[in-house]
Amino acid sequence: MRSSWSVLALVLVAGAVVIPSLFRQPASLTVYCAHDAIFADDIIRLFEKRSGIAVEVRYDEEANKSLGLTNLLIAEKDRPRCDVFWNNQTLGTIRLMDHGVLAPFKGTGYERIPSPFKDVGGHWTGFAARMRVFIVNSEQLTATEEEVAELLASESLNTVAIAIPLYGTTLTHYSVLAAEMGLEELKKWHHSLQARGIREARGNGSVKDLVAEGACALGFTDTDDVFVAMDQGKPVKMLPIRTTAGKTIVIPNSVAMIRGCQHPDAAQKFIDFLLSAEVELLLAQSASRQIPLGDVDRSRLPDSVQELMNWAGQGVEMEAAAQLNDSVLEWLSGEYVQQ
Amino acid sequence: MTLSTAILWSFVRCICVATLAIVPAAELTAWLRSTGSGKTGSGKSARIGLIAALLPFLVPELLLGYTWRLAAARLVDNQPATELLYGLILTIRAVAITVAVRLMMPASDLSEEALHSWKLLRPVTETGRWRWFRIRLKMNGPWRPILIAWSLAALVSFQEFETAALLQIDRHPIAWTVWLFDAHASRQPISDSLEMILRPVLIEFLLLTPVWVLLRGSTITSISSLECNRSPDSSFCQTAGTSGRTSNWLALAWLFLSLSVCLFWPLATNAAPLLRGIRAISDQWPFLRQSFEQILISLGFAAAATIVALRIAVWLHFRQTPALTMLLLMPGLCGSLMTSISLLSVFQLPVLNGLYDSWLPLLLGLALTLLPRAWLIAGLVLNSTSPLAVYSANLLDESPDAGVRQRSTVIRWKLQASRWFFAGLILSHWGFWDVTIASTLRPIQLEPVVTRLYNEMHYGRTEALTLITLMAAAAVPLSALMAAIFWRLWVTIVRFHA
């Protein structure tokens, strides 16, 4: 290898990296977004168009679960490069608040969201929710609460799937159960599922695949995953997962401003935009069918979301679950990653 | 499941995979040589054969896992079958890697005649010393390419993560890389992870030992695989495998199996979404522009990291300092996950934080991750290039006759540059598809295409996914082709008319 060739090649590849960025508008706002890129991107571009503020987005990737945007924000706490965090759940955001990563902000958007879905101090605000649901293969099981309960009480659960609860909404689900039944009862329930041979997948998407492909009859997953399968024409239906007290598990998106961020004005405009009725409607009308939490024009909601709204009205409070999140994760780490 | 169990599973699997790959790879190599693959002016069928044999290696692990995840879902009642499926995918890739290494490597340092002469010197009663010398002769002769290929195949199989993660249900297939990923997901401190990684890294050094021993201080051979291609009947090349009729059938059967797993099945299951994707998205200019831009970014980083890794690897080979080599190879042997998380912490330090949101962390991360493989491949290239032949070709370059100079350039390409070119191509391919480093260390402004693909995979956007996949998968080979065409034009036009 000749040095001159290497230098020339390095210059060429550096050009390939740098040139595309020259054609971009300099960013006036940096957003970390854990919501699905294909749904969030349209909304962020709409904000750019309306406000004239250029936004750079960093999406969360499944590949990066081990670090995740929440952990990245904690790592960057002293020198943040992010202005706004759009999370696709709330427990992680509450954890950031506990680490002092978030700054309070109560704008017009904050006011229209009901109090169970926001922090009293304004550190974070929830909007557009998903729900934990059972995905049922309708060719193998009738989608009724009785049939599901019967299957879950049976001796063998080898046709039932759940994601490993170390991350994502399954961890939130476990934290909610821990808050309601206590950690010891949760452990018994978890061990009972395992002893009866429940299938453990690596994520909710994988649970959806197992049920949609007919390898399992029932799975624990989220509404957006079920809608993906439904839109692909798979024989699946959904039922809400209820806690022993009969509550549903509603998992809102949440948005928060980062403490010490470089563009606070633009950040506040973006947060108010996200928390508007217009964005909640857009998310409800998207393929992921998110459930609006504030007041919206109900006549413009798809039928599937109308039904979800009824279930979401029976949602469990998340405060206690947030407090138990760390203890649940500590116990689960011992279960899944022993040395 | 403990880390020790996961390491043991991964270790046994990688040994089995690399060992099982030896026989099909030998048959395939022999068949490819018999068809003249790699020879200048070789026929179209020979070139197709070579591409087909190496294709499983070029299909990214991520996409193989995504394609076969539904099959794994249907095998949920049969864990040994899931393990076998994963083992088969790894073996198919290992065979392709072994073939690539064996085609690059000289067939043997020692002729069959020399070995036979040594046999004739056998004492009446075989002494331990005589047997030991015989083994050493074989290791530096016919076994050398096999051992080095085995080593690389085992290392790549042991480090595999993406396919295992996508196939895994009920914790099968068991892989230490997936275990470590889960440990991080449960917010384990980085200091604990570094402690945990020690055992896998020790195993990786163990797997690299044959390369270390065989390439260190070895003599430059004068018989290269290209020369074997020119005269495959030479006794020097016989140890590379025979190519009888049965062997040819075996080679073709293996090719069919590997192409079915890596090409036909993925195409069959994704053809309809791909067509829909092309129809739906081909007129969406912003989508296509964004995808091209992301592919360009990925190519840029992969190529730059490859150049950096190869330069360091060559320097390490010439320097021959074991401690320094081990130190620099260590991050790459720890895997993408550990390298990226460690670098992220390093760039949070006040002194380096100014560089955090730049191209440097990603470039550095990719280069460090590629370094162990670059070191191995650079060793192969350096050992299969004759300095005397290169020197002679360089002398031709001094000729006042433009035609002679042009021929000198072609000869130097064949002797030296083509090998570095293919080494770079292989490493760039690895760098291009490394999702963990890209997703952790990329600056905000630059999104490599692989992270975008991962998003599309997760959200089941099959149409968009297959279209971007097709464009991305073609990016590295197409760039290589363009570089080759550019080089050809440069030789014929610029140098000829100089």
Side-chain angles (χ1 to χ4, degrees):
Chain A
M1 278 199 305
R2 289 185 175 179
S3 303
S4 53
W5 275 104
S6 294
V7 171
L8 177 68
L10 266 176
V11 167
L12 283 174
V13 295
V17 168
V18 171
I19 287 166
S21 59
L22 296 179
F23 293 97
R24 290 217 196 94
Q25 222 181 329
S28 309
L29 183 70
T30 301
V31 174
Y32 282 8
C33 180
H35 186 52
D36 302 4
I38 55 165
F39 307 126
D41 210 42
D42 288 344
I43 287 165
I44 291 170
R45 298 307 149 214
L46 181 66
F47 171 75
E48 277 187 320
K49 203 173 157 187
R50 293 257 179 90
S51 65
I53 296 170
V55 182
E56 287 290 356
V57 196
R58 176 167 182 148
Y59 290 106
D60 207 0
E61 286 101 20
E62 284 285 290
N64 210 10
K65 246 176 194 168
S66 59
L67 185 70
L69 291 177
T70 315
N71 286 352
L72 187 62
L73 282 165
I74 293 170
E76 294 173 355
K77 183 183 163 189
D78 295 333
R79 284 165 289 276
R81 63 176 174 182
C82 169
D83 298 304
V84 176
F85 182 36
W86 173 355
N87 199 357
N88 64 353
Q89 43 122 323
T90 46
L91 294 199
T93 316
I94 294 170
R95 186 169 155 244
L96 286 178
M97 183 176 74
D98 295 342
H99 275 83
V101 175
L102 308 182
F105 170 62
K106 294 179 181 178
T108 51
Y110 178 86
E111 301 304 329
R112 66 171 286 278
I113 300 295
S115 54
F117 302 111
K118 61 188 179 188
D119 172 49
V120 182
H123 287 89
W124 61 270
T125 313
F127 65 107
R130 289 179 288 171
M131 275 179 70
R132 289 291 287 171
V133 287
F134 289 116
I135 178 170
V136 181
N137 185 306
S138 53
E139 289 173 353
Q140 295 187 25
L141 188 73
T142 313
T144 61
E145 295 198 349
E146 295 74 28
E147 290 269 334
V148 168
E150 193 181 325
L151 177 56
L152 288 176
S154 64
E155 278 185 14
S156 169
L157 295 183
N158 64 8
T159 58
V160 182
I162 191 167
I164 292 173
L166 281 173
Y167 26 71
T169 51
T170 315
L171 175 61
T172 304
H173 185 164
Y174 267 53
S175 302
V176 166
L177 294 182
E180 191 176 285
M181 61 169 74
L183 194 54
E184 288 312 309
E185 281 303 307
L186 174 67
K187 287 178 186 175
K188 279 185 198 163
W189 178 75
H190 174 76
H191 291 143
S192 160
L193 293 181
Q194 286 191 323
R196 289 180 290 149
I198 196 165
R199 303 298 183 188
E200 289 187 312
R202 288 198 60 77
N204 291 317
S206 183
V207 168
K208 178 262 293 176
D209 286 339
L210 281 167
V211 177
E213 295 301 313
C216 287
L218 180 74
F220 295 70
T221 188
D222 300 335
T223 43
D224 55 339
D225 291 302
V226 184
F227 284 124
V228 169
M230 284 177 166
D231 292 345
Q232 288 171 346
K234 302 289 182 188
V236 295
K237 289 190 171 166
M238 72 167 94
L239 282 173
I241 291 175
R242 291 183 189 278
T243 64
T244 42
K247 298 276 190 182
T248 56
I249 303 169
V250 183
I251 302 170
N253 281 273
S254 55
V255 63
M257 190 161 76
I258 303 301
R259 186 180 292 279
C261 67
Q262 291 168 26
H263 310 103
D265 294 340
Q268 290 174 3
K269 280 183 190 155
F270 183 70
I271 290 171
D272 275 338
F273 173 74
L274 271 194
L275 297 176
S276 67
E278 181 190 6
V279 169
E280 283 212 302
L281 265 176
L282 284 172
L283 288 169
Q285 289 160 353
S286 73
S288 65
R289 279 86 140 186
Q290 308 271 298
I291 310 157
L293 299 179
D295 268 343
V296 290
D297 179 359
R298 283 200 171 215
S299 66
R300 292 172 64 194
L301 290 175
D303 292 344
S304 49
V305 179
Q306 300 266 12
E307 190 181 3
L308 291 179
M309 281 189 86
N310 297 332
W311 292 342
Q314 301 147 33
V316 69
E317 292 275 337
M318 299 299 272
E319 294 278 320
Q323 282 168 12
L324 280 169
N325 191 244
D326 282 345
S327 325
V328 171
L329 187 58
E330 194 183 337
W331 156 62
L332 286 170
S333 303
E335 292 280 318
Y336 286 89
V337 283
Q338 308 151 358
Q339 285 202 59
Chain B
M1 166 87 55
T2 62
L3 176 60
S4 306
T5 315
I7 292 173
L8 188 65
W9 268 87
S10 300
F11 180 64
V12 171
R13 185 191 296 117
C14 85
I15 299 291
C16 293
V17 160
T19 310
L20 283 172
I22 291 173
V23 175
E27 299 302 339
L28 260 179
T29 312
W31 176 73
L32 286 170
R33 283 182 176 150
S34 75
T35 61
S37 295
K39 259 200 268 185
T40 316
S42 57
K44 196 183 276 181
S45 59
R47 264 181 260 157
I48 292 172
L50 185 65
I51 292 167
L54 301 183
L55 188 94
F57 163 75
L58 294 172
V59 178
E61 293 161 4
L62 183 69
L63 297 179
L64 270 181
Y66 181 73
T67 303
W68 284 96
R69 79 196 193 287
L70 293 181
R74 291 186 197 111
L75 293 173
V76 68
D77 288 324
N78 195 340
Q79 287 169 348
T82 311
E83 290 288 351
L84 276 177
L85 174 67
Y86 180 55
L88 177 69
I89 291 172
L90 286 185
T91 308
I92 285 169
R93 290 178 65 84
V95 168
I97 291 168
T98 309
V99 168
V101 170
R102 293 189 63 169
L103 284 176
M104 278 176 80
M105 279 287 287
S108 168
D109 261 3
L110 295 162
S111 66
E112 284 296 310
E113 289 85 346
L115 285 169
H116 182 70
S117 304
W118 180 259
K119 258 189 215 167
L120 294 178
L121 292 173
R122 178 173 54 189
V124 182
T125 49
E126 282 187 16
T127 61
R129 190 179 151 85
W130 187 85
R131 270 198 295 269
W132 168 237
F133 270 111
R134 189 159 174 244
I135 288 170
R136 276 186 62 186
L137 271 180
K138 289 221 165 200
M139 277 177 67
N140 281 294
W143 290 355
R144 200 167 78 136
I146 299 169
L147 282 171
I148 290 174
W150 182 92
S151 200
L152 181 61
L155 179 70
V156 170
S157 304
F158 188 73
Q159 287 188 325
E160 207 286 326
F161 165 68
E162 301 296 345
T163 311
L166 284 159
L167 294 186
Q168 197 182 67
I169 295 167
D170 284 346
R171 300 187 216 178
H172 285 272
I174 298 170
W176 72 271
T177 45
V178 180
W179 189 97
L180 194 71
F181 182 94
D182 286 344
H184 276 284
S186 56
R187 300 173 201 164
Q188 177 180 260
I190 194 163
S191 52
D192 287 6
S193 303
L194 287 170
E195 201 182 311
M196 283 176 189
I197 203 86
L198 272 179
R199 278 174 285 171
V201 167
L202 280 176
I203 288 175
E204 285 173 359
F205 272 119
L206 195 70
L207 294 174
L208 278 176
T209 306
V211 186
W212 195 283
V213 172
L214 293 172
L215 290 183
R216 199 164 156 243
S218 65
T219 52
I220 300 298
T221 178
S222 57
I223 304 293
S224 76
S225 58
L226 293 175
E227 284 163 85
C228 282
N229 291 335
R230 272 192 281 284
S231 54
D233 297 331
S234 152
S235 60
F236 283 82
C237 311
Q238 289 303 304
T239 48
T242 54
S243 77
R245 184 170 285 185
T246 319
S247 295
N248 282 349
W249 279 111
L250 278 173
L252 288 172
W254 183 264
L255 259 191
F256 179 74
L257 174 71
S258 59
L259 288 178
S260 301
V261 170
C262 298
L263 185 69
F264 302 146
W265 177 254
L267 277 181
T269 49
N270 292 303
L274 176 63
L275 290 174
R276 280 202 303 274
I278 291 170
R279 267 202 300 270
I281 296 166
S282 55
D283 58 342
Q284 291 182 25
W285 175 239
F287 174 87
L288 288 174
R289 201 201 67 178
Q290 190 188 22
S291 304
F292 281 130
E293 194 178 295
Q294 289 164 340
I295 288 171
L296 197 64
I297 289 166
S298 291
L299 271 177
F301 275 109
T306 297
I307 293 167
V308 173
L310 273 177
R311 297 284 307 182
I312 298 173
V314 170
W315 179 72
L316 285 174
H317 275 289
F318 281 114
R319 202 175 159 87
Q320 299 238 344
T321 318
L324 184 67
T325 306
M326 281 174 76
L327 185 74
L328 287 175
L329 297 194
M330 186 74 88
L333 293 177
C334 290
S336 301
L337 184 66
M338 287 309 303
T339 307
S340 58
I341 292 175
S342 305
L343 276 177
L344 184 83
S345 308
V346 168
F347 278 95
Q348 289 306 314
L349 296 172
V351 67
L352 288 174
N353 195 251
L355 296 166
Y356 173 50
D357 199 22
S358 72
W359 48 267
L360 187 65
L362 177 53
L363 178 64
L364 194 60
L366 276 179
L368 286 173
T369 308
L370 290 178
L371 193 55
R373 295 176 189 194
W375 178 80
L376 214 157
I377 291 173
L380 284 178
V381 176
L382 289 170
N383 273 270
S384 59
T385 308
S386 161
L388 289 175
V390 173
Y391 180 71
S392 307
N394 284 341
L395 286 180
L396 286 177
D397 203 35
E398 303 297 321
S399 168
D401 183 338
V404 173
R405 284 204 308 277
Q406 191 192 13
R407 275 194 290 280
S408 144
T409 313
V410 174
I411 292 169
R412 281 191 293 128
W413 164 261
K414 282 181 194 161
L415 284 175
Q416 198 176 29
S418 63
R419 294 170 194 193
W420 287 114
F421 182 76
F422 286 113
L425 180 66
I426 291 168
L427 288 165
S428 299
H429 173 78
W430 270 320
F432 186 93
W433 290 102
D434 193 309
V435 66
T436 310
I437 293 277
S439 59
T440 310
L441 296 175
R442 76 177 177 87
I444 293 280
Q445 300 83 0
L446 302 172
E447 184 178 24
V449 73
V450 70
T451 58
R452 164 89 176 281
L453 269 179
Y454 219 101
N455 265 318
E456 302 285 351
M457 269 181 193
H458 176 53
Y459 309 126
R461 288 234 308 175
T462 320
E463 288 81 5
L465 173 70
T466 41
L467 187 63
I468 308 173
T469 302
L470 192 73
M471 294 196 297
V476 175
L478 269 181
S479 309
L481 189 68
M482 279 169 65
I485 291 169
F486 176 75
W487 178 84
R488 194 101 189 167
L489 281 173
W490 182 74
V491 169
T492 26
I493 299 168
V494 181
R495 287 193 55 90
F496 187 69
H497 296 292

